[in-house]
Amino acid sequence: MPRACLATFVMVTSFLSTINHFHMVATAGLADDGILLTPDIVSRIHTDHDSIARASSDFGHIVEAIPNGVFHPTSPADIVALIRLSISQPKPFAVAPRGQGHSARGQALAPGGIVIDMRSMRRGDHVSMSSEQLWADVGGEQLWIDVLHATLEHGLAPRIWTDYLRITVGGTLSNGGIGGQAFRHGPQISSVHELDVVTGMGEMITCSPDKDSDLFFAALGGLGQFGVITRARIALEPAPKRVLWVRVAYADVESFTSDQELLISKPASSGSGFDYVEGQVQMNRTLTEGRRSSSFFSASELDQLAKLVLDTGSTAIYYIEGAVYYNDDTASSVNQKLERLLEELNFVPGFAFVRDVSYVEFLDRVGREEQKLRAAGVWDVPHPWLNLFVPRSRILDFDAGVFRGILRDAKPAGLVLMYPMNRDRWDDRMTTATPGGEDVFYAVGLLRSAVAAGDLERLERENAAVLAFCDREGVGCRQYLPHHASRDGWRRHFGEKWGRLAALKRRYDPRGILSPGQGIFPAAGSDSL
Ligand code: ZME
């Protein structure tokens, strides 16, 4: 069969099955929902200039895409109705849920379609908990900072966090959700018991590892391609009260990475490790010439670090960031525990810095950074961020090629994160792509901001050079929060998961209406899905 003909055939059959299915759902639901074409759906679509403008860009400030309208649902049923309205059209419109719009490259946008402003779902009572069973039911639109405060009321909290908390549950679960606790607990998607998902067929499905597990695993890390996450049941643990928050500095990457790998190998049961492990690369010139603001280091500590880079003459220094959680009953022994732990590490003598903070102060540390950046007018700027997962076996090659090669003279506004995670905490049934084959991989985040003329172009060139380096040297990197311009790029990104992904897309969003800003599948109305 010629290609075009095959494509048409596929389209017609999936179209027919859509209609069939749609018909069933519609009749079954008619008695009580009656939501199919209610005028209040249309009245909840805002088309004023300000609404459209706000929904046309995202945190990245790199791409723009103008939607036809912005939908303000107040319940999951509204989202069901909007999606059914779309797929009832001969030419459906695209639909993109948007929480905080913290995507970097337009993933939360809907060119020519409808952006669902998930913020309008936020009601006070949207976190409910089972203290006995250690979980919370949380609306997909909720901010993690609000989940934190709500669960702390019961002395409990989720166990794995992103660095930044003013983003939504649905947003991070659609990507993975990583941070310094992931080495132990896996990404946030490994701490979910159950989801409510409104699929691209306009069905609300409650799914879990035991029920509609295909959809459950597809939606976790699914980049918004299979449905809108309207509720997640999230695992909790007893929350610690306080944290010893630590940074230890290194002048060489070998000691830095081997200490990180030692730290992430310690199981929670040993009681002897950090509860959180991350790390940063400090490019020489940021310390010696850059804006040196830090919410952790004091001015004199920054001088001390700058002296270290000058003394060693290296292009970069590194520090591990760790945290030891404690409570009233462990307060008397926690300093000793930390001391013993630090004795095992090979940081530069004299370069250990410790803060004693509350759990909330620790978790919301980037929130304080945000206040400072906003005050300095460097928050709403372009963020050409590149996040990569790098296999452990190539991390030193990556360091040499990137930090001591491509970026050696970079003077970035922003930061560079680098820390390892244990692969066995990830579930391969979930959609997020990870490097295969090794027990440990690193997250490397080049989180730079464009603050001056020419910055964006230079940073984009550097990002392209980093990706080209990884390709050329066969490093086996995978992008996290991925962006690929071509179908082939996406195919390679998902590797052996690609076939399953495409099949799940045909099943749960056959008209291709969901989250078109990802650019993974042809957009709605196109006939080649
Ligand atoms: C995607 C990502 C951003 C992961 C961590 N971040 C961060 N963004 C801004 N400031 C940070 C940060 N991690 C530590 N500080």
Side-chain angles (χ1 to χ4, degrees), residues 85-99:
L85 176 61
S86 169
I87 61 177
S88 71
Q89 312 294 311
K91 191 172 184 305
F93 51 84
V95 164
R98 174 193 179 98

Side-chain angles (χ1 to χ4, degrees), residues 24-36 38 77 80 84:
M24 268 169 39
V25 172
T27 22
L30 217 53
D32 57 353
D33 63 18
I35 48 185
L36 205 44
T38 57
V80 167
R84 289 188 192 175

Side-chain angles (χ1 to χ4, degrees), residues 157-237:
R159 40 188 206 172
I160 152 78
W161 298 94
T162 51
D163 292 345
Y164 182 60
L165 303 182
R166 284 166 172 80
I167 45 181
T168 60
V169 168
T172 71
L173 296 184
S174 295
N175 286 281
I178 59 166
Q181 301 89 355
F183 78 90
R184 183 166 280 170
H185 300 296
Q188 289 178 324
I189 52 174
S190 295
S191 285
V192 178
H193 297 309
E194 189 177 283
L195 296 173
D196 284 345
V197 177
V198 181
T199 69
M201 309 278 288
E203 296 173 283
M204 159 69 91
I205 298 181
T206 297
C207 55
S208 71
D210 304 317
K211 183 188 168 293
D212 287 295
S213 60
D214 269 10
L215 180 60
F216 180 76
F217 294 121
L220 293 170
L223 304 174
Q225 295 307 298
F226 310 104
V228 179
I229 297 173
T230 55
R231 177 185 63 96
R233 179 165 292 179
I234 293 166
L236 304 178
E237 65 178 9

Side-chain angles (χ1 to χ4, degrees), residues 163-164 278 280 366 369 385 387 415 417 447 480-481:
D163 292 345
Y164 182 60
E278 289 197 3
Q280 291 195 21
V366 180
E369 207 66 46
W385 287 2
N387 283 278
L415 69 169
L417 303 180
L447 310 178
Y480 173 64
L481 313 175

Side-chain angles (χ1 to χ4, degrees), residues 245-256:
W245 179 19
V246 184
R247 289 182 179 178
V248 293
Y250 297 77
D252 72 291
V253 68
E254 290 84 2
S255 318
F256 168 68

